[in-house]
Amino acid sequence: DGPDSGRRHYIRECEKERREPLPLLVNKGDAASKVINLNRRRLGNFHGCAYAGALLKTALQQGVQVEELHLTENCLTTRGIVAIAATIHTCPQLRVLDVSMNDFSEQGSEALGKALQDHPTIQQLHMSKCRIEDKDGAALINALALNSSVTYVDLSSNQLGAGARALHPQTSCAAAIAKMLESSTPAQISTLVLAFNNLSARHFQMMANSLQFNKCLKHFDISWNSCKDDGAMALAQALRPNIALSTLDLTHTSIGEKGTMVIADVLKENKGLSLIKLDDNPIGQRGGRAILRAMRKIQQYGWKRE
């Protein structure tokens, strides 16, 4: 708590703008904590920027190593997010970053992507409900593809796949994900959550072409998108050679009888999957029978699958 401490920096910033410091940001215990949890505090951009500067000071203090930073639902927009992104480089021990339920713009996504691109220890990135558009999501994924430490990425409830540019094979977020899933990229992502977006069958076809060769992804959540039969069949073909994927969530993805029957056929060959979810899909009677027959065959093999 010296003259150049994070607490004093934050208080000085508040005094400059004639703002009242928030008690939760000047507590001595929080300043030296490895886990900083400021979820749902509605800080806004001013307090977000001021606290980001305080984190810069805190990270430089001897013996203080921030490992987790949780900032869910804090009314942060471009200014605040850019300020937070600037602190990432000074937290070399940071493993978990949660910035869900804030409003990301193109500049915010770009700043965070650059900060995470070569971060040595970051493992988990939570960015649910951040209003991330498809082109911004693509830029973020391209940055994460260069990082070899990230293993968990949550981009659920955003706007991936929306807009006219989303289907372009070079610039869409789906194309960026497909490139990242290729074995030649440094990325070691084992869990990827894309639930509640606007991804279509075309997008799943793009990703499936790379998924069949991926050896890192173990948990893939693409629920509540528009996979449909065409996307399901592409994913099924990817599952034939894939032995890494353990869980696949296809809940509410508009998969019909045809797509379900193809998936059921692949389940007789794929030995990696332990759990596949097809809840809330119009699989029909033939799709249901195909799944039951596949599960009976799997039981005969002695494979453990749900």
Side-chain angles (χ1 to χ4, degrees):
D1 192 26
D4 201 32
S5 68
R7 288 179 66 246
R8 289 188 178 277
H9 174 87
Y10 172 68
I11 293 173
R12 284 198 300 268
E13 290 298 310
C14 291
E15 289 175 346
K16 287 179 184 178
E17 298 293 329
R18 296 183 180 180
R19 300 285 190 100
E20 183 177 353
L22 299 179
L24 63 99
L25 297 184
V26 296
N27 182 279
K28 290 185 179 181
D30 291 341
S33 176
K34 291 185 177 181
V35 178
I36 297 177
N37 189 340
L38 297 173
N39 287 341
R40 297 175 175 85
R41 304 293 185 176
R42 297 189 176 275
L43 301 180
N45 283 332
F46 168 74
H47 288 289
C49 290
Y51 191 63
L55 275 178
L56 287 171
K57 298 290 185 181
T58 301
L60 295 175
Q61 291 177 16
Q62 186 176 2
V64 177
Q65 296 178 342
V66 179
E67 295 181 359
E68 297 186 20
L69 179 58
H70 301 269
L71 293 167
T72 295
E73 196 174 359
N74 271 297
C75 303
L76 298 174
T77 58
T78 302
R79 181 184 166 211
I81 292 166
V82 170
I84 293 296
T87 70
I88 303 301
H89 288 297
T90 61
C91 299
Q93 302 300 320
L94 188 67
R95 296 182 295 103
V96 179
L97 178 63
D98 187 350
V99 288
S100 299
M101 301 180 71
N102 290 291
D103 193 355
F104 272 69
S105 63
E106 181 177 358
Q107 292 83 359
S109 299
E110 182 181 359
L112 188 59
K114 288 182 178 179
L116 296 174
Q117 181 173 306
D118 55 358
H119 195 282
T121 62
I122 189 75
Q123 296 175 7
Q124 295 185 27
L125 177 62
H126 301 261
M127 297 182 67
S128 178
K129 296 183 179 180
C130 287
R131 299 183 182 180
I132 299 174
E133 296 183 358
D134 191 83
K135 60 184 178 63
D136 301 329
L140 184 64
I141 290 294
N142 286 331
L144 290 176
L146 300 175
N147 186 300
S148 59
S149 66
V150 177
T151 60
Y152 181 100
V153 177
D154 182 358
L155 289 170
S156 60
S157 301
N158 283 294
Q159 299 172 19
L160 308 183
R165 295 181 58 186
L167 286 175
H168 195 282
Q170 301 298 325
T171 61
S172 70
C173 186
I177 293 172
K179 183 178 179 181
M180 182 181 65
L181 291 175
E182 293 177 359
S183 58
S184 59
T185 64
Q188 301 292 317
I189 294 175
S190 60
T191 300
L192 181 58
V193 183
L194 301 175
F196 291 93
N197 276 287
N198 294 281
L199 299 170
S200 67
R202 173 75 180 277
H203 298 130
F204 288 112
Q205 289 170 335
M206 292 181 189
M207 292 185 285
N209 290 331
S210 297
L211 181 62
Q212 58 183 321
F213 303 113
N214 184 272
K215 298 180 181 179
C216 299
L217 191 64
K218 298 182 182 297
H219 310 285
F220 197 20
D221 185 351
I222 47 180
S223 58
W224 291 84
N225 286 284
S226 187
C227 183
K228 297 186 177 179
D229 285 344
D230 289 342
M233 288 188 287
L235 288 172
Q237 292 304 316
L239 290 175
R240 292 187 188 276
N242 184 291
I243 59 174
L245 198 64
S246 175
T247 63
L248 178 62
D249 194 341
L250 293 167
T251 300
H252 200 96
T253 48
S254 302
I255 298 175
E257 286 187 341
K258 187 176 180 180
T260 306
M261 292 172 69
V262 175
I263 289 176
D265 185 59
V266 171
L267 291 180
K268 302 173 186 177
E269 301 178 25
N270 180 285
K271 298 181 181 181
L273 277 176
S274 61
L275 172 64
I276 182 168
K277 293 185 180 181
L278 287 164
D279 299 354
D280 201 12
N281 281 294
I283 67 174
Q285 292 185 7
R286 291 190 300 170
R289 292 193 189 101
I291 290 291
L292 291 175
R293 285 195 295 266
M295 294 303 292
R296 183 174 60 183
K297 181 68 68 174
I298 289 168
Q299 288 177 347
Q300 293 174 357
Y301 294 158
W303 301 346
K304 293 183 179 180
R305 179 165 296 161
E306 181 179 354

